[in-house]
Amino acid sequence: MHSDPTDLIHRAQQGDRTAFEALYRAHSGRVYALCLRLTADRALAEERTQDAFVRAWERLATFRGESAFSSWLYRLTVNEVLLERRAERRRERTAARTSPRRTCRRVSAAIC
């Protein structure tokens, strides 16, 4: 049974999980393909796909219908992947600043 996408969106916005599951099934393949293009890693693409749909559920009330739901979801997905990419870079920089090797160099320089 195929429901009207507008009806599914409105029902999901009201908290209908079954309607959101239908939206997930309709869009998950394209969202995964987008995540795979952006990450070039299958496992990471699966994680980002899940992240995007979690965020979509949280932000569904902000969808106003001024564009296609797929366009809104596409932008949300790209933003989610980019946010996680930035967070990963921050984690890597923090790890590099606090690495034991770097700490040892600072201690050695202070001793000399």
Side-chain angles (χ1 to χ4, degrees):
M1 174 177 128
H2 294 286
S3 294
D4 172 31
T6 304
D7 178 54
L8 284 175
I9 294 163
H10 288 296
R11 287 178 25 219
Q13 286 176 320
Q14 299 303 312
D16 183 336
R17 290 178 185 229
T18 304
F20 188 76
E21 287 174 26
L23 289 170
Y24 172 83
R25 284 191 303 277
H27 296 276
S28 61
R30 284 179 290 235
V31 169
Y32 172 77
L34 173 59
C35 290
L36 186 58
R37 281 193 307 276
L38 293 171
T39 64
D41 180 290
R42 288 182 178 168
L44 206 49
E46 288 178 16
E47 284 183 42
R48 295 301 158 258
T49 298
Q50 291 303 309
D51 293 344
F53 278 100
V54 167
R55 181 57 55 107
W57 175 255
E58 294 169 347
R59 307 282 297 152
L60 199 53
T62 68
F63 177 70
R64 297 183 308 259
E66 295 170 357
S67 62
F69 179 76
S70 58
S71 298
W72 177 82
L73 185 58
Y74 177 94
R75 189 68 248 166
L76 182 140
T77 300
V78 169
N79 289 345
E80 197 61 29
V81 170
L82 294 177
L83 267 171
E84 186 53 38
R85 190 177 288 167
R86 280 187 227 115
E88 181 62 30
R89 284 189 200 134
R90 276 193 302 274
R91 285 189 292 270
E92 288 172 359
R93 281 190 297 244
T94 300
R97 282 194 297 261
T98 60
S99 74
R101 184 179 300 156
R102 187 177 176 131
T103 303
C104 289
R105 277 187 258 148
R106 278 189 257 148
V107 170
S108 296
I111 295 171
C112 296

